[in-house]
Amino acid sequence: MIPLLLALLQPANGPAGPPPATVPPPSAVVSETFSGRAGALSAFAPKLRDTITIDGTLSEPVWQQASLLTDFNSYSPVDGRPAQDNTEVRIWYAEDALYVGIRAWAPPGTVRATLAERDRISSDDWIAIHLDTFLDRRRSFVFAVNAFGVQADGMRSDVSAGPGVSRAALQAVDLSQDYLWQSKGQLLDDGFSVEMRIPFKSIRYQMGSTQDWGLQVIRQTQRTGYQDTWAPTSRALQAFTPQSGYLRGMTGMKRGLVLDLTPTSVTSTAGSASPDGWRYGTRGDLGGDVRWGITSNFTVNATANPDFSQVETDVGQIPGDVRFALFFPELRPFFVEGSEQFDAPNRLVNTRAIVQPLGALKLTGKIPRTDVGLLSAVDAPSSGSDGKTSPRFNIVRLRRDLGEQSTAGIVFTDRTEGSRFNRVAGFDTRLQFANMYSVDLRYAGSVTRDSGTRTGSLWEASHGRTGRSYGYRYNVQGFSPDFETQTGFVNRVDFVRAQINQRLTLFGNKGGWWDQRQHFVSASALWTYNGFGERETPLESRFSLDNSMSLRGGWRVSITPDVQRIAFDPRRYAQYAVLSPSGRDTGDFTPNDAQITSSVRFSMNTPQWRKAGASLTATAGTEPEFFETATVRRTEVEAQLDLRPTSQLRIGTLLLYQRFVRARDGSVFSTQVVPRLRLEYQLSRALFLRFIGQVESRDRSALRDPRTEQPLFRRSAAGELSVQGARQSLLGRADWLISYLPSPGTVVFVGYGTGVNASESMRPMDLERTNDGAFVKFSYLFRVRNAAR
């Protein structure tokens, strides 16, 4: 496969976008100024032989020769206005790296800056450099820094960030990917300055002796809540990346040999309570990763017996619908690098399905106008259905650029375990036209063989318009009953759903008390898969109106009323049974009639002040309860408070609270409370201490038939009945971590975690330790050096 791809890497049709400008001689590109407001968006960076110390001062003479980007415009929450604060970005390059110097002005004492952990600067003032190195106008490498030069980096694909999230925000960037680059900043009386060095061997880019890249610079100012861009960007257009400017005419770039070796050592000890006392087991693992840049646009990653332990803890979630599994994002280093090449609709690729791989191989890159992602992995036998056979995974994702913004792609996934297998093949396309309209079409089929063989399919079609003041999206999708993906994440099948979304956006006057109002009208209907074909009444229908407002100074509030009608599918309750009125025998359970419910959700986000920021979401009303097929009164609160007493200390608190009360008699059905505390102390940019503590209190009453109030039973596969009695749990978890991370790939982690349980009494003072464990992880990135090629 690799030789075939190399043969295809010869120059083909040029990238989409305007034709390259004539490259001026080096003497003509020194000290040029490129004004965003004036439309000077084709920047030429001079190639210089100087070397500098990355210290954030911009004091070296070379910065006076660099090209200068100026005159930013606002983008969010209001676009098209001159930026309130001045920003200057200077760019030049050497043969092995791109250099960026930033000077951002602000009123004295207003810059938000902390000595944050990597990728956790979204609460600070920050500036991000977007580099569309393939000039495909679809995705870009993102390098962001705060005033101290603390880094956040990742890949941004040109997809919608969702209602209420700016497409220029760091939330729209996949920050799971980490690149090796240098930055340092200084907080000044009238703003801040930052120096950045981005080695060419840390990124991928198109082949060719002369490079033209897409370029955008974004600045986030927390005191105002505004985001500004160098290249003027309109909210009316469908895509964000195509509105970037250009960095043109770079020549003589040399990556050298791109070969990274990362050996890893992990030693862990785990203990748990047993009838004869506390027992510990210790194990040590050696493994490693290899990264080889075959060409400037293709990379091979390999791993053997890798450490995929999660240093980050998945944040506790209260499920909105208990019938379906929750999705957690991928955080493991081997899988996140180049993960944008495996983006597939409907989550048909979810690498967390590969639980404990013994080894894996991955190829990612871009043939001119075609993205390529290939991955093969062998999982541990313990991940198999019989505990003895190693599951084998193969994933192929290809996506072709069509025109300036449209794409077409295919995906194939295979999980094989002995004679068992699950295979999925799919096609998808996104067609964009007239700058603000799009059509999406998707289809996939699955074949699964275990005790028998079954096939299934999914399909989806949608059409949307993105305008500055008015937009919409219409969508219909279907999953057949036997569709299955064991390499992706699909938590519901056997349905057809139609959705309609309408948006109206209004903008306030300059200097007014509000900046932006958005109104989202959403309606949806859901049928069983066969019921849709037979034109039955929808099983579920819903209508909501999301009203949000961005206020002056960075405040944001929203209120969303919601009405829904839910009928209960009898097939989901075939294993339920209920006592007869006499209480002497049982009969089949008949689900309740359809329920009509309504609720209101309110949310508020404060500005990011210098020392704190907070958010609150509260929901009240009624909603369907799927265990008993009845209506409950719902009260739910999610509150977050982030404190920054100093630039080094961060305190994050989270409280999730949910209470369901039966509407028919006022009795409490269930209560869930999840408080979480995160403490971080950053001794330096590389060294920090962290504590995460979380408690989960869950209490659910015994299930009852809403018609007769008799207990509900569940029938096992063997025909045995078990009463669905009350359930309660009080569990806690505490994790301590000392981390030394001087650069991506080179890390030392020392951690300890313990779990506690007081489910029997449900009293916090009775918490008892049930398990604990400690680990030490060491890895070191060897970047092989040789003469540049």
Side-chain angles (χ1 to χ4, degrees):
M1 178 64 73
I2 293 177
L4 174 61
L5 292 172
L6 290 175
L8 294 173
L9 297 183
Q10 302 305 316
N13 295 330
T22 302
V23 179
S27 60
V29 298
V30 176
S31 301
E32 283 196 278
T33 298
F34 300 91
S35 167
R37 282 201 296 275
L41 303 180
S42 286
F44 292 93
K47 183 180 180 181
L48 305 171
R49 296 182 179 275
D50 297 67
T51 58
I52 65 171
T53 300
I54 303 297
D55 57 12
T57 62
L58 300 178
S59 59
E60 294 89 347
V62 66
W63 289 114
Q64 302 307 312
Q65 304 175 60
S67 293
L68 178 62
L69 311 182
T70 63
D71 297 334
F72 283 52
N73 289 272
S74 67
Y75 170 72
S76 178
V78 181
D79 58 347
R81 297 175 180 172
Q84 297 183 35
D85 298 315
N86 290 329
T87 307
E88 290 184 353
V89 176
R90 299 177 183 270
I91 297 181
W92 60 278
Y93 72 101
E95 67 176 13
D96 62 342
L98 183 72
Y99 291 83
V100 181
I102 297 168
R103 181 65 170 93
W105 279 267
T110 63
V111 175
R112 304 340 186 209
T114 60
L115 197 63
E117 183 184 352
R118 187 186 188 94
D119 293 334
R120 292 176 58 83
I121 65 173
S122 60
S123 299
D124 297 339
D125 286 13
W126 52 263
I127 290 184
I129 310 298
H130 289 227
L131 298 176
D132 177 9
T133 59
F134 289 97
L135 200 58
D136 59 12
R137 318 304 270 169
R138 291 165 173 82
R139 66 187 63 177
S140 54
F141 289 91
V142 177
F143 300 89
V145 289
N146 71 359
F148 292 140
V150 177
Q151 300 175 355
D153 50 5
M155 179 66 63
R156 188 196 187 282
S157 298
D158 204 41
V159 295
S160 173
V165 177
S166 166
R167 290 182 291 173
L170 288 181
Q171 291 94 318
V173 179
D174 177 9
L175 296 176
S176 61
Q177 305 191 46
D178 292 328
Y179 312 115
L180 189 60
W181 53 293
Q182 295 81 45
S183 63
K184 193 168 183 179
Q186 291 199 357
L187 191 61
L188 307 174
D189 291 339
D190 58 351
F192 61 93
S193 64
V194 180
E195 288 181 317
M196 303 165 59
R197 179 182 180 273
I198 304 172
F200 294 135
K201 68 166 51 185
S202 292
I203 58 178
R204 301 187 304 274
Y205 51 88
Q206 58 195 306
M207 297 187 71
S209 58
T210 300
Q211 294 287 314
D212 294 325
W213 295 354
L215 172 65
Q216 181 63 284
V217 184
I218 301 170
R219 178 179 177 180
Q220 170 76 56
T221 303
Q222 296 294 354
R223 85 171 193 282
T224 63
Y226 266 64
Q227 291 168 350
D228 306 322
T229 63
W230 167 64
T233 308
S234 171
R235 303 174 62 89
L237 302 185
Q238 180 79 230
F240 180 83
T241 304
Q243 302 182 67
S244 302
Y246 297 88
L247 183 60
R248 296 204 182 275
M250 292 188 295
T251 61
M253 299 161 57
K254 297 179 181 179
R255 301 176 82 215
L257 175 64
V258 180
L259 182 60
D260 296 341
L261 308 176
T262 310
T264 302
S265 171
V266 179
T267 302
S268 60
T269 299
S272 60
S274 64
D276 55 350
W278 204 266
R279 288 192 173 185
Y280 282 96
T282 301
R283 59 175 296 177
D285 290 301
L286 295 175
D289 300 338
V290 178
R291 172 180 174 261
W292 174 35
I294 309 174
T295 64
S296 64
N297 59 339
F298 265 89
T299 301
V300 170
N301 297 81
T303 187
N305 193 29
D307 164 51
F308 285 154
S309 62
Q310 302 258 166
V311 174
E312 283 288 345
T313 303
D314 289 324
V315 176
Q317 300 184 43
I318 291 179
D321 191 332
V322 296
R323 298 171 295 168
F324 310 115
L326 296 173
F327 175 79
F328 292 96
E330 181 63 86
L331 299 174
R332 301 173 293 180
F334 173 81
F335 290 117
V336 299
E337 183 178 355
S339 59
E340 76 279 359
Q341 301 299 112
F342 295 94
D343 287 344
N346 307 106
R347 288 178 176 159
L348 293 181
V349 176
N350 175 38
T351 51
R352 284 188 72 150
I354 308 172
V355 180
Q356 191 179 352
L358 302 176
L361 180 68
K362 178 171 61 176
L363 172 69
T364 56
K366 190 177 184 81
I367 303 170
R369 301 187 68 80
T370 302
D371 294 297
V372 177
L374 308 174
L375 188 151
S376 294
V378 178
D379 217 344
S382 58
S383 303
S385 58
D386 59 4
K388 300 178 181 179
T389 305
S390 289
R392 299 176 182 271
F393 293 82
N394 288 288
I395 301 172
V396 178
R397 174 61 170 160
L398 304 175
R399 182 169 44 211
R400 178 74 173 177
D401 299 341
L402 304 177
E404 292 191 358
Q405 272 300 292
S406 301
T407 61
I410 60 172
V411 61
F412 173 78
T413 66
D414 171 43
R415 182 186 187 276
T416 300
E417 181 187 333
S419 61
R420 302 168 177 260
F421 64 78
N422 169 254
R423 293 168 186 154
V424 177
F427 167 82
D428 59 274
T429 185
R430 180 177 178 82
L431 307 174
Q432 293 192 198
F433 49 95
N435 289 326
M436 62 177 63
Y437 296 94
S438 66
V439 172
D440 293 80
L441 301 172
R442 303 164 183 173
Y443 178 82
S446 69
V447 179
T448 305
R449 185 173 71 187
D450 36 41
S451 57
T453 301
R454 57 189 181 276
T455 61
S457 63
L458 74 82
W459 47 266
E460 184 171 359
S462 65
H463 166 59
R465 177 188 190 271
T466 299
R468 187 172 189 267
S469 297
Y470 172 67
Y472 63 77
R473 178 156 295 277
Y474 307 127
N475 174 271
V476 60
Q477 64 177 177
F479 286 73
S480 71
D482 289 325
F483 180 82
E484 183 176 353
T485 170
Q486 298 176 9
T487 314
F489 182 85
V490 172
N491 66 352
R492 183 175 191 173
V493 296
D494 190 14
F495 72 89
V496 173
R497 177 165 47 211
Q499 295 176 295
I500 298 175
N501 297 281
Q502 305 277 336
R503 173 183 57 82
L504 177 64
T505 304
L506 304 174
F507 299 93
N509 296 324
K510 187 175 181 180
W513 65 274
W514 64 278
D515 292 315
Q516 181 196 100
R517 285 167 45 200
Q518 286 192 326
H519 306 278
F520 289 90
V521 179
S522 302
S524 65
L526 183 142
W527 297 260
T528 63
Y529 195 80
N530 292 329
F532 177 77
E534 297 172 2
R535 300 183 180 180
E536 295 179 355
T537 301
L539 201 64
E540 303 175 10
S541 55
R542 189 168 194 167
F543 175 85
S544 66
L545 176 60
D546 186 333
N547 306 280
S548 63
M549 180 177 290
S550 297
L551 308 180
R552 185 178 181 182
W555 290 82
R556 186 176 181 86
V557 296
S558 71
I559 185 167
T560 306
D562 176 282
V563 178
Q564 58 181 325
R565 176 191 180 275
I566 301 292
F568 303 98
D569 188 349
R571 296 173 302 172
R572 308 292 183 188
Y573 302 90
Q575 294 178 329
Y576 275 60
V578 63
L579 279 176
S580 65
S582 64
R584 298 176 182 176
D585 52 12
T586 61
D588 293 336
F589 171 67
T590 302
N592 207 354
D593 297 331
Q595 305 289 295
I596 298 177
T597 63
S598 61
S599 63
V600 176
R601 184 180 74 249
F602 170 80
S603 67
M604 178 184 68
N605 293 78
T606 73
Q608 290 298 330
W609 296 302
R610 296 192 65 186
K611 300 293 185 180
S615 67
L616 173 69
T617 301
T619 304
T622 58
E623 77 167 32
E625 196 288 297
F626 291 94
F627 283 112
E628 294 183 340
T629 68
T631 294
V632 291
R633 290 195 296 271
R634 172 186 180 184
T635 302
E636 183 173 318
V637 176
E638 178 178 337
Q640 294 189 63
L641 175 63
D642 294 314
L643 302 175
R644 299 177 291 275
T646 71
S647 64
Q648 295 174 273
L649 177 63
R650 298 183 299 278
I651 305 171
T653 61
L654 169 69
L655 175 65
L656 301 174
Y657 171 82
Q658 187 183 75
R659 185 178 178 88
F660 289 157
V661 175
R662 293 182 177 93
R664 63 184 186 269
D665 60 10
S667 61
V668 176
F669 175 77
S670 68
T671 303
Q672 302 181 65
V673 182
V674 183
R676 180 182 172 95
L677 174 67
R678 180 184 178 117
L679 300 175
E680 295 176 334
Y681 188 78
Q682 202 84 25
L683 284 81
S684 67
R685 280 181 59 178
L687 181 64
F688 76 93
L689 308 176
R690 183 174 71 199
F691 167 80
I692 298 177
Q694 178 173 301
V695 175
E696 299 181 15
S697 173
R698 306 180 187 272
D699 190 349
R700 193 201 72 191
S701 66
L703 300 188
R704 310 197 305 254
D705 183 347
R707 290 192 176 94
T708 65
E709 301 300 335
Q710 294 293 325
L712 286 180
F713 293 78
R714 189 175 182 88
R715 187 178 292 107
S716 69
E720 298 177 351
L721 291 176
S722 59
V723 66
Q724 299 298 286
R727 295 182 179 181
Q728 61 182 20
S729 63
L730 180 59
L731 306 175
R733 179 77 191 176
D735 292 279
W736 289 263
L737 179 70
I738 302 174
S739 171
Y740 177 67
L741 200 161
S743 64
T746 299
V747 297
V748 178
F749 292 140
V750 179
Y752 172 78
T754 182
V756 294
N757 191 339
S759 298
E760 186 172 344
S761 67
M762 295 294 290
R763 296 190 304 176
M765 64 284 295
D766 294 333
L767 285 169
E768 294 184 356
R769 184 168 55 115
T770 56
N771 60 77
D772 67 351
F775 74 94
V776 177
K777 173 183 175 178
F778 170 80
S779 68
Y780 186 82
L781 172 63
F782 291 97
R783 175 153 281 189
V784 178
R785 302 178 183 272
N786 75 334
R789 62 187 184 191

